């Protein structure tokens, strides 16, 4: 692949796909599915060295597996067994009750800082985080989070008790964030050793105590790329923004008809702006027969709808990892649906089009430079 | 010797469709498979040691329980079938 091209990795109910395009992002080459038949919750290329691609494949017959490719998805090898052994010990000795069972699903992979080239962070169900420093050959559990004092108060959401968001502050790499449904947001300031709940200002509508320390059903969080003290949060209970590194949250989404949803992204070249795709909370579908993507601006403190007219008529939903954005200017924004449409804006959400390929239901969309 | 028949779902992990074993229990038979074919580790059993939900083990035609059935004794001319039930869509 030529340098400067964009790769979009798509995880679906039936496998993983890799798409490439030039900087115009109008025409796409689609390759896949890899791991056909597997429920690929997340597939992502390492932005530090994008020839390394990782797929989190869940399978009812064979269980969860991590696959790694070192040639941009040409060949794959399984790398997960050491992590399973860690959980075998956990199940026997440390946890009780329903959490003594095996891994339910692998959810999300995040890549470590630039100066730690082999480092990976993995989130799973039951909500736990693991770190690898050798590109997935071995894993260590982050016990400061996995055995957190509040764990007994964590509950599964409809998708299970999943650790689905892992963020690293690029300006302060020891500062990390984790999002767990339904436990809330946690922050570490010491590289993952210790974790503090960060949910002040986010209510919990589905239990008697509405402002607890933990138990919030966060769906996705992202950092503002220009000012990572700003954190954008799509929660079960609305769209929130924090301007103090998650110490407190403000619900900004109340002005919308619905601010329930799953996805959020903040493009690198659009500082102070984030994109959300709200859904009607009962059906988990866009309203009015048209999925809408809203741009939130920190400067104007307003939402602006970006999908004009009804270019994608139908009742569409999204999964939480199914939106991402690229590093180019104008920004490319990518949104996958639960029914397999991949929507692309190549111009910072001024216009949207659909990749002319119908995928299986999309779990995740992740962008990286093509290797 | 006990005959163990493996369904085609397992060809990714074990190249043969049948093996023989002198293992004395279903658990020992699976451990022997895992020893001889490491790729099958964690694919029949999860990390707690229980059979995965859609893995079905039959001894002389009778299905064994996912957890307690692993202690089922094997002897003589027993035949074991390892199958996968239909799931998904």
């Amino acid at each position: 692949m030529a340098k400067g091209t964009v790769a979009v990795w798509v995880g679906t109910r039936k496998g993983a796909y890799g798409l490439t395009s030039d900087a115009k992002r109008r025409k796409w080459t689609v390759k896949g599915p890899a791991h056909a038949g597997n429920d690929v919750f997340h597939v992502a290329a390492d932005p530090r060295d994008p020839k390394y691609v990782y797929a989190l494949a869940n399978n009812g017959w064979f269980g969860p597996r991590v696959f790694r490719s070192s040639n941009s998805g040409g060949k794959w090898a399984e790398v997960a067994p050491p992590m399973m052994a860690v959980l075998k010990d956990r199940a026997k000795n440390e946890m009780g009750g329903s959490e003594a069972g095996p891994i339910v699903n692998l959810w999300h992979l995040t890549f470590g800082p630039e100066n730690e080239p082999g480092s990976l962070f993995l989130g799973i169900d039951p909500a736990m985080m693991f770190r690898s420093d050798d590109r997935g050959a071995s894993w260590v559990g982050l016990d400061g989070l996995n055995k957190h004092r509040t764990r007994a108060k964590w509950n599964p959401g409809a998708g299970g008790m999943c650790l689905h968001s892992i963020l690293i502050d690029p300006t302060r790499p020891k500062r990390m964030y984790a999002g767990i449904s339904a436990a809330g947001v946690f922050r570490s300031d010491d590289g993952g050793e210790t974790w503090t709940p960060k949910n002040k200002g986010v209510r919990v509508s589905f239990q008697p105590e509405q402002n607890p320390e933990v138990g919030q059903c966060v769906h996705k969080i992202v950092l503002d790329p220009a000012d990572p003290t700003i954190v954008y949060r799509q929660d079960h209970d609305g769209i929130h923004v924090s301007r103090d590194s998650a110490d407190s949250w403000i619900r900004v989404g109340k002005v919308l008809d619905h601010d329930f949803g799953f996805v959020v992204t903040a493009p690198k070249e659009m500082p102070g702006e984030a994109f959300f795709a709200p859904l009607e909370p009962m059906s988990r579908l866009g309203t009015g027969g048209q999925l809408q993507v809203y741009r939130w601006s920190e400067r104007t403190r307003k939402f602006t709808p970006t999908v004009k007219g009804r270019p994608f008529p139908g009742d569409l939903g999204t999964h939480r990892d199914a939106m991402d954005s690229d590093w180019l200017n104008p920004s490319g924004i990518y949104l996958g649906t639960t029914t397999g449409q991949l929507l692309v804006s190549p111009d910072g959400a001024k216009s949207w089009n659909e990749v002319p390929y119908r995928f299986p239901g999309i779990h995740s969309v992740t962008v990286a430079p093509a290797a | 010797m006990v005959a163990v028949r493996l369904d085609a779902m397992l060809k990714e992990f074990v190249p043969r469709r049948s093996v023989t074993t002198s293992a004395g229990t279903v658990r020992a038979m699976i451990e022997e498979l895992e020893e001889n074919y490491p790729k099958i580790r964690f694919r029949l059993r999860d990390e707690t040691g229980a059979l995965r939900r859609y893995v079905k083990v039959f001894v002389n035609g009778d299905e064994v329980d996912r957890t307690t059935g692993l202690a089922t004794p094997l002897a003589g001319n027993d035949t074991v079938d390892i199958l996968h039930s239909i799931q998904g869509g």
Side-chain angles (χ1 to χ4, degrees):
Chain A
M1 282 181 267
K3 281 193 172 180
T5 56
V6 178
V8 176
W9 292 94
V10 178
T12 80
R13 287 188 65 239
K14 297 294 182 183
Y17 295 81
L19 290 75
T20 52
S21 182
D22 60 20
K24 292 180 181 176
R25 293 155 291 175
R26 298 279 179 184
K27 294 180 179 177
W28 295 89
T29 301
V30 180
K31 288 187 177 176
H35 320 297
N38 284 272
D39 223 353
V40 178
F41 275 30
H42 196 203
V43 55
D46 188 338
R48 301 162 300 184
D49 189 349
K51 68 177 181 290
Y52 286 100
V53 187
Y54 297 82
L56 307 183
N58 299 301
N59 184 293
W61 288 303
F62 305 129
R65 288 188 278 176
V66 179
F67 291 94
R68 181 183 67 202
S69 172
S70 58
N71 64 349
S72 302
K75 289 185 177 179
W76 298 84
E78 188 180 346
V79 291
M83 183 197 67
M84 306 288 274
V86 172
L87 277 187
K88 183 180 180 183
D89 295 339
R90 172 189 67 85
K92 273 187 176 175
N93 302 324
E94 296 163 9
M95 297 286 185
S98 60
E99 290 196 32
I103 296 174
V104 179
N105 284 306
L106 305 172
W107 270 84
H108 184 84
L109 194 71
T110 287
F111 301 97
E114 193 75 33
N115 63 348
E116 299 173 4
S119 60
L120 310 171
F121 295 89
L122 174 63
I124 70 166
D125 172 0
M128 302 180 84
M129 190 189 298
F130 289 82
R131 176 185 177 122
S132 173
D133 287 300
D134 51 15
R135 295 195 171 94
S138 63
W139 299 89
V140 176
L142 298 188
D143 285 348
L145 183 62
N146 300 344
K147 300 178 185 177
H148 198 269
R149 62 176 171 77
T150 63
R151 189 172 182 103
K153 296 180 180 177
W154 303 2
N155 287 298
M161 196 164 84
C162 51
L163 198 160
H164 53 68
S165 296
I166 304 170
L167 307 176
I168 300 172
D169 185 333
T171 64
R172 187 175 169 174
K174 293 283 186 187
R175 172 164 284 178
M176 301 176 64
Y177 299 84
I180 299 171
S181 179
V185 169
F186 295 76
R187 193 181 83 202
S188 172
D189 290 334
D190 55 12
E193 289 288 317
T194 61
W195 296 81
T196 306
K198 292 292 177 184
N199 300 296
K200 186 179 176 185
V202 183
R203 79 182 185 115
V204 179
S205 64
F206 45 85
Q207 65 179 41
E209 184 184 0
Q210 300 230 327
N211 297 289
E213 179 185 28
V214 297
Q216 283 80 358
C217 191
V218 59
H219 286 173
K220 202 68 198 169
I221 51 174
V222 297
L223 301 178
D224 188 286
D227 179 359
T229 66
I230 299 174
V231 191
Y232 304 104
R233 175 174 182 155
Q234 177 63 71
D235 196 278
H236 181 100
D237 277 299
I239 295 173
H240 296 71
V241 176
S242 171
R243 301 180 182 110
D244 53 12
S245 302
D247 283 337
S248 64
W249 297 91
I250 299 165
R251 185 176 179 182
V252 298
K254 272 188 173 178
V255 296
L256 301 172
D257 290 342
H258 303 289
D259 65 344
F260 176 93
F262 290 100
V263 297
V264 54
T265 189
K268 188 174 181 182
E269 290 297 317
M270 300 180 78
E273 299 197 350
F275 292 83
F276 298 85
L279 305 175
E280 194 281 321
M282 293 303 291
S283 63
R284 268 72 163 157
L285 297 171
T287 56
Q290 176 58 58
L291 186 65
Q292 184 56 267
V293 178
Y294 283 93
R295 180 175 62 231
W296 166 257
S297 168
E298 277 290 281
R299 183 177 60 80
T300 64
R301 303 278 166 97
K302 288 183 178 174
F303 287 97
T304 307
T306 68
V307 179
K308 299 172 182 70
R310 296 187 67 195
F312 318 113
D315 299 307
L316 306 180
T318 67
H319 284 164
R320 69 191 76 218
D321 251 338
M323 186 151 71
D324 200 7
S325 46
D326 63 32
W327 65 96
L328 299 173
N329 190 357
S331 300
I333 304 168
Y334 309 84
L335 176 60
T337 72
T338 54
T339 40
Q341 295 91 348
L342 181 60
L343 311 182
V344 176
S345 172
D347 51 15
K350 288 179 181 168
S351 67
W352 289 91
N353 53 64
E354 182 179 348
V355 174
Y357 194 93
R358 198 54 60 90
F359 299 90
I362 293 174
H363 290 309
S364 71
V365 175
T366 311
V367 186
Chain B
M1 295 291 278
V2 175
V4 181
R5 299 188 293 203
L6 308 168
D7 71 6
M9 297 278 293
L10 294 171
K11 65 183 179 184
E12 178 183 351
F13 314 109
V14 180
R16 304 171 61 176
R17 301 280 54 80
S18 65
V19 297
T20 57
T21 180
S22 57
T25 64
V26 169
R27 178 180 287 106
M29 177 271 296
I30 291 176
E31 287 171 351
E32 188 176 296
L33 269 179
E34 292 170 348
E35 177 77 19
N36 293 336
Y37 303 97
K39 285 184 176 179
I40 207 171
R41 189 178 179 221
F42 298 127
R43 304 286 76 91
L44 296 176
R45 298 189 297 167
D46 64 37
E47 63 269 32
T48 70
L51 288 176
R52 290 200 178 279
R53 182 178 177 186
Y54 298 110
V55 173
K56 304 293 181 186
V57 177
F58 297 82
V59 177
N60 300 325
D62 294 325
E63 184 179 356
V64 307
D65 182 80
R66 285 182 59 224
T67 50
T68 58
L70 292 170
T72 303
L74 299 176
N77 294 318
D78 284 348
T79 298
V80 177
D81 288 285
I82 302 179
L83 303 174
H84 290 77
S85 58
I86 296 167
Q87 58 94 24

